[in-house]
Amino acid sequence: MHDPNTPDRDDTMFDISKDALSDLGNGTLAYVRKMQPAELESLFPGMPPLEGNASLWALLNADGTPILLADNREAAIANAFEQELEMVSLH
């Protein structure tokens, strides 16, 4: 039953700055992303070029900051758990 004294979810607005929004989840949330060698330079400047088509897995902070680069998904996820990060799924 709906309580008329409780605002509907759509009636509640939050005012949040871009900086505050970008900090949301930093240090607590992370995600894993499969990356091709050509994509790595933007996240890992100075990384030597990789030969071949090997895919690597990056563990990224909520704001996209790289935390770790691994050769398999399981290693990246294990590192997230070691650092007590909550994993999120991106779609």
Side-chain angles (χ1 to χ4, degrees):
M1 182 166 183
H2 178 67
D3 179 359
N5 296 323
T6 303
D8 290 336
R9 204 169 174 185
D10 294 338
D11 294 339
T12 305
M13 299 287 289
F14 295 98
D15 191 19
I16 187 167
S17 71
K18 286 182 182 181
D19 290 336
L21 184 61
S22 69
D23 287 341
L24 194 63
N26 277 345
T28 59
L29 299 176
Y31 63 97
V32 174
R33 181 173 160 217
K34 187 175 185 179
M35 302 194 73
Q36 299 301 316
E39 299 175 285
L40 296 174
E41 179 62 32
S42 64
L43 287 178
F44 300 92
M47 182 176 171
L50 298 177
E51 294 186 27
N53 294 340
S55 295
L56 296 174
W57 293 86
L59 176 63
L60 304 165
N61 198 0
D63 67 353
T65 304
I67 298 171
L68 168 90
L69 191 59
D71 61 355
N72 63 66
R73 184 175 186 271
E74 291 75 21
I77 292 172
N79 188 272
F81 285 111
E82 286 174 13
Q83 295 187 41
E84 299 181 1
L85 297 169
E86 184 174 341
M87 297 298 295
V88 295
S89 177
L90 300 180
H91 298 276

